[in-house]
Amino acid sequence: MEIMGYKRSDGKVGIRNHVLILPTCACASESSRIVASQVKGTINVVINTGCSDVQANTDMTQRVLTGFALNPNVYGVVILGLGCETVPHKELREKIEKLTSKPIISFGIQEEGGTVNTISKAVKAARAMVAEATLLQREPCDISGLLMGIECGGSDATSGIASNPTVGELSDKLVDLGASTIMSETIEFIGGEHVLARRGATKKIHNEIIEACDNFEKHLASVGQNCRAGQPTPGNKAGGLSTLEEKSLGCIRKGGSRPIVEVLEEAERPTKKGAIIMDTPGYDIASVTSMVAGGCSLVVFTTGRGTPTGNAIAPVIKITGNKITYEKMHDNIDIDVSDITEGLKTPKEMSEVLLDELIKVCNGKVTKAEAFGFSDIAIDHICRFV
């Protein structure tokens, strides 16, 4: 099976061809936004970190920013820094240049003498880079080159019986075709982690899944917190989910049934192909951020209550099994699989509809979140209580 994508020099396949305006820190985020607003074909991300942090959190920010630059949907990168942040723009640029042959240029606001000079130079550089990017045309690419992120947010009682099983069937189809999928949100495995761990391709992977959940609970307990205090969320409960275990069993269904071949840290890039787990927090935007930094070129996002979430770098396809939610939030949700909830279709049947939509998006169809220009970013702080 083929999609129409952009072949990158590292062998990856992109489904978008962005020039990324990338800030190194919060202080450069607004300048990056202004640059992107001036040059068609560019995107920007807004971050609220990058300075005055402990080393572990600095490392996480750097991993995410580097991962954004390496994402196959990105043709080239214009980096903007301030000049006194923890990792200056030149250092970040040099780090990325060691990992890719993509065009990269960087500017420092303090070095250039302020906002106006920096934006002027960055706009010219971005415009030239976009001109180069447009010379690259879509071409047939085997779908095995695809890396899809799997996410859920605002779950309700329909999620575990309709949208999540549909995405699980889609994940299995893609893995069988040689592609890869990543499922995240460790806290939402808890209560069902023993079921998920059985899918581990090896005993080691089985144990890594159990350990990731155990470590998360221990981390919370070390500061007097309990994951059951925040899970299920008030919205989950209002939607009919009664316990953490019920939510977790529904959650893990969206990952399909194929053997899990790798367990990744947040924003880590896969080394294997197939069904993959990423150890992330339960906050959906932080999880999507990490999976996109890990190389996902698109994300399929299930929701029962509804969400407008999108990402600048990777298109996000929203899917619900709640007919009322689809009708109320038609502007935000791409696919309605409520025929499953009503007993008219099976998840397997609806997964064919979702696969067709996925191929259209890969080939250039704009998702509803993309049409609005939504760009939700949240970089997790692994030292959350320091």
Side-chain angles (χ1 to χ4, degrees):
M1 184 176 290
E2 290 184 333
I3 57 175
M4 297 298 291
Y6 300 95
K7 292 183 179 179
R8 304 303 183 193
S9 58
D10 61 1
K12 299 290 192 303
V13 174
I15 62 171
R16 298 294 184 265
N17 199 36
H18 302 304
V19 169
L20 173 63
I21 314 300
L22 183 68
T24 62
C25 58
C27 300
S29 281
E30 282 299 291
S31 295
S32 297
R33 178 186 60 80
I34 294 170
V35 172
S37 72
Q38 298 301 306
V39 185
K40 185 178 180 180
T42 65
I43 56 170
N44 72 290
V45 295
V46 174
I47 65 168
N48 64 346
T49 59
C51 198
S52 302
D53 216 337
V54 296
Q55 187 61 51
N57 289 336
T58 295
D59 292 343
M60 176 60 70
T61 298
Q62 291 298 299
R63 192 190 304 173
V64 168
L65 295 180
T66 301
F68 283 169
L70 298 178
N71 188 284
N73 288 350
V74 173
Y75 170 83
V77 187
V78 178
I79 300 173
L80 295 190
L82 177 59
C84 56
E85 63 270 38
T86 306
V87 179
H89 68 94
K90 291 180 181 177
E91 290 185 25
L92 179 60
R93 185 192 72 219
E94 290 168 358
K95 179 190 298 184
I96 297 169
E97 285 175 337
K98 292 177 182 177
L99 300 170
T100 183
S101 59
K102 294 179 181 183
I104 303 173
I105 191 169
S106 69
F107 302 96
I109 296 170
Q110 292 172 348
E111 297 169 24
E112 301 299 339
T115 298
V116 174
N117 287 345
T118 306
I119 289 175
S120 176
K121 288 188 176 182
V123 164
K124 291 177 182 177
R127 187 176 59 202
M129 203 175 287
V130 167
E132 294 173 2
T134 57
L135 298 176
L136 188 64
Q137 300 297 307
R138 290 182 181 272
E139 56 184 305
C141 302
D142 194 87
I143 201 168
S144 61
L146 193 67
L147 177 58
M148 180 184 80
I150 301 171
E151 188 59 46
C152 64
S155 299
D156 70 359
T158 69
S159 298
I161 61 174
S163 56
N164 286 355
T166 299
V167 175
E169 292 284 349
L170 174 65
S171 178
D172 286 349
K173 290 179 190 295
L174 291 177
V175 170
D176 291 346
L177 289 167
S180 299
T181 64
I182 297 179
M183 181 173 69
S184 59
E185 294 186 300
T186 303
I187 195 171
E188 296 196 0
F189 304 157
I190 296 172
E193 67 268 41
H194 59 296
V195 178
L196 181 63
R198 289 179 197 147
R199 289 176 49 205
T202 65
K203 183 68 173 176
K204 179 176 180 290
I205 293 171
H206 171 283
N207 292 344
E208 286 175 345
I209 294 170
I210 298 295
E211 184 179 4
C213 294
D214 186 50
N215 286 343
F216 203 101
E217 288 207 87
K218 287 179 178 176
H219 171 71
L220 292 175
S222 70
V223 289
Q225 302 296 310
N226 186 326
C227 67
R228 287 163 178 78
Q231 294 284 346
T233 67
N236 296 151
K237 294 174 183 176
L241 293 174
S242 60
T243 65
L244 179 66
E245 288 77 10
E246 182 183 8
K247 182 177 181 180
S248 297
L249 289 170
C251 166
I252 63 177
R253 291 196 68 185
K254 69 183 185 291
S257 62
R258 298 300 181 259
I260 296 167
V261 298
E262 190 169 21
V263 177
L264 303 172
E265 296 295 326
E266 286 185 65
E268 185 181 4
R269 293 186 295 281
T271 63
K272 297 181 181 179
K273 300 194 71 172
I276 298 165
I277 295 294
M278 182 177 283
D279 181 11
T280 73
Y283 180 34
D284 46 31
I285 295 175
S287 294
V288 170
T289 296
S290 290
M291 290 191 292
V292 172
C296 289
S297 55
L298 83 163
V299 177
V300 175
F301 192 123
T302 69
T303 182
R305 306 276 293 174
T307 177
T309 298
N311 184 276
I313 296 171
V316 178
I317 302 173
K318 236 69 65 51
I319 169 176
T320 188
N322 188 321
K323 192 173 190 65
I324 295 173
T325 296
Y326 183 72
E327 291 172 349
K328 288 174 64 177
M329 297 191 66
H330 182 74
D331 289 345
N332 302 108
I333 299 174
D334 301 277
I335 297 288
D336 174 17
V337 296
S338 61
D339 278 355
I340 300 170
T341 312
E342 297 178 8
L344 303 174
K345 296 285 186 180
T346 67
K348 192 164 189 175
E349 289 172 324
M350 292 308 298
S351 71
E352 291 292 339
V353 175
L354 185 54
L355 176 60
D356 182 64
E357 180 71 7
L358 178 141
I359 292 172
K360 288 177 182 177
V361 170
C362 287
N363 292 348
K365 181 181 178 180
V366 174
T367 66
K368 291 181 178 179
E370 281 185 293
F372 284 120
F374 288 158
S375 172
D376 299 304
I377 301 296
I379 300 178
D380 182 44
H381 275 190
I382 55 177
C383 291
R384 300 175 183 90
F385 304 103
V386 172

